[in-house]
């Protein structure tokens, strides 16, 4: 049974940092791309960042480029999203996802999803 479990969300002031984790289990993800998406209330789910598990290639949405960093730890089967210089508009539920297509920014291209973790950035 494939599981993606996110953690690390919380409440932070604008300008602060958080690191999200996504622990993957249930299958081998070496041929997959791992993505982070977010969804704010009343808005569609949007792409944030992706990493190709095998090569480490990364790709970012323009809105987070230079502030967020995606990485992975092969030994721990875990993907991270380091978020710096957070802004109130980064407030959303953040989801981890796994898919076979590189690079995919559309949610429908991802096969597996976590349950999400809330990130709230206060002014």
């Amino acid at each position: 049974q494939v599981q993606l479990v996110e953690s690390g969300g919380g409440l932070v002031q604008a300008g602060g940092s958080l690191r999200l984790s996504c622990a993957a289990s249930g299958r081998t993800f070496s041929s997959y791309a791992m993505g982070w998406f977010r969804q704010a209330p009343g808005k569609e789910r949007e792409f944030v960042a992706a990493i190709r598990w095998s090569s480490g290639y990364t790709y970012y949405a323009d809105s987070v480029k230079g502030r967020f960093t995606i990485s992975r730890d092969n030994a721990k089967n875990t993907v991270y999203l380091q978020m710096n210089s957070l802004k109130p508009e980064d407030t959303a539920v953040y989801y981890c996802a796994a898919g076979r297509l590189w690079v995919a920014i559309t949610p429908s291209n991802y096969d597996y999803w976590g349950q999400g973790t809330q990130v709230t950035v206060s002014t």
Side-chain angles (χ1 to χ4, degrees), residues 68-105:
F68 291 11
T69 303
I70 188 171
S71 62
R72 89 271 195 241
D73 184 327
N74 290 341
K76 295 182 178 180
N77 240 26
T78 299
V79 176
Y80 303 99
L81 185 69
Q82 177 67 44
M83 306 186 295
N84 299 329
S85 302
L86 282 161
K87 305 175 182 179
E89 51 264 43
D90 294 318
T91 296
V93 177
Y94 282 71
Y95 298 91
C96 174
R100 295 181 180 271
L101 186 64
W102 180 263
V103 57
I105 64 172

Side-chain angles (χ1 to χ4, degrees), residues 33-84:
M34 304 298 292
W36 284 98
F37 286 77
R38 65 187 181 187
Q39 189 165 18
K43 294 189 176 182
E44 293 188 353
R45 193 167 297 190
E46 68 169 349
F47 172 80
V48 174
I51 187 166
R52 197 166 189 176
W53 203 290
S54 57
S55 64
Y57 291 158
T58 59
Y59 186 79
Y60 297 92
D62 288 342
S63 58
V64 305
K65 206 172 291 183
R67 299 189 298 125
F68 291 11
T69 303
I70 188 171
S71 62
R72 89 271 195 241
D73 184 327
N74 290 341
K76 295 182 178 180
N77 240 26
T78 299
V79 176
Y80 303 99
L81 185 69
Q82 177 67 44
M83 306 186 295
N84 299 329

Side-chain angles (χ1 to χ4, degrees), residues 5-13 16-23 36-38 68 79-83 86 90-96 115-122:
V5 180
E6 302 99 332
S7 61
L11 174 64
V12 64
Q13 286 190 327
S17 298
L18 280 175
R19 188 177 80 156
L20 306 183
S21 300
C22 172
W36 284 98
F37 286 77
R38 65 187 181 187
F68 291 11
V79 176
Y80 303 99
L81 185 69
Q82 177 67 44
M83 306 186 295
L86 282 161
D90 294 318
T91 296
V93 177
Y94 282 71
Y95 298 91
C96 174
Q115 82 289 351
T117 185
Q118 176 71 46
V119 171
T120 303
V121 184
S122 64

